[in-house]
């Protein structure tokens, strides 16, 4: 199977799967592979169905980009929540240590 369009169809399926599973490294590799396949296409040899398929890729990429943006925003919000939680824990831990230090000073004084 050396037909670039058929290989593109397979890569497109894999891209959707990688995006769904959140496998970013695999997604990047697949996009690189897809880029190479695009470069190997001979546009004058494409059938109307192949051209339609390529146009559909553009539409799907716009949808994928929106999904990626949404996931990115969720991840960013989670990271901010984790950071806030970490800061709160550190402040609470500091207060506990400070209270222990003061208690030790009071016992010896």
């Amino acid at each position: 199977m050396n037909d670039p369009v058929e290989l593109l169809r397979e890569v497109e399926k894999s891209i959707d799967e990688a995006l769904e599973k959140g496998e970013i490294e695999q997604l990047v590799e697949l996009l690189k592979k897809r880029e190479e396949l695009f470069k190997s296409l001979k546009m004058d040899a494409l059938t109307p169905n192949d051209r339609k398929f390529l146009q559909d890729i553009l539409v799907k990429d716009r949808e994928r980009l929106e999904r990626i943006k949404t996931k990115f925003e969720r991840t960013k919000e989670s990271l901010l929540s984790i950071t806030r939680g970490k800061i709160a824990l550190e402040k609470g831990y500091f207060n506990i240590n400070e209270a222990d230090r003061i208690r030790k000073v009071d016992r010896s004084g």
Side-chain angles (χ1 to χ4, degrees):
M1 180 188 301
N2 290 333
D3 180 24
V5 175
E6 286 305 313
L7 292 173
L8 268 171
R9 289 181 197 280
E10 289 179 22
V11 169
E12 281 297 299
K13 287 180 190 175
S14 299
I15 286 172
D16 286 333
E17 291 170 5
L19 186 58
E20 192 65 35
K21 293 177 184 176
E23 296 173 349
I24 302 304
E25 295 84 13
Q26 183 182 9
L27 179 62
V28 171
E29 290 301 316
L30 289 166
L31 291 172
K32 287 178 184 177
K33 183 176 181 179
R34 187 178 77 171
E35 178 184 11
E36 294 302 316
L37 289 170
F38 277 139
K39 288 178 182 178
S40 71
L41 288 176
K42 295 183 174 108
M43 296 305 281
D44 55 333
L46 293 175
T47 68
N49 284 340
D50 293 343
R51 289 178 189 272
K52 171 86 169 90
F53 170 67
L54 295 177
Q55 289 174 343
D56 290 346
I57 289 175
L58 290 174
V59 173
K60 285 178 77 174
D61 278 354
R62 288 184 190 116
E63 293 170 3
R64 290 174 180 143
L65 185 58
E66 287 303 314
R67 287 174 46 201
I68 289 171
K69 284 180 183 179
T70 302
K71 285 185 180 192
F72 174 75
E73 286 300 318
R74 284 188 205 141
T75 302
K76 189 170 109 177
E77 289 171 11
S78 294
L79 181 60
L80 287 172
S81 294
I82 290 169
T83 302
R84 279 189 235 115
K86 178 184 172 195
I87 291 169
L89 284 173
E90 287 172 349
K91 284 182 179 181
Y93 182 71
F94 175 75
N95 290 338
I96 291 171
N97 284 340
E98 187 65 21
D100 284 345
R101 188 182 67 76
I102 291 171
R103 201 171 336 138
K104 288 178 187 174
V105 171
D106 286 346
R107 287 183 193 161
S108 63

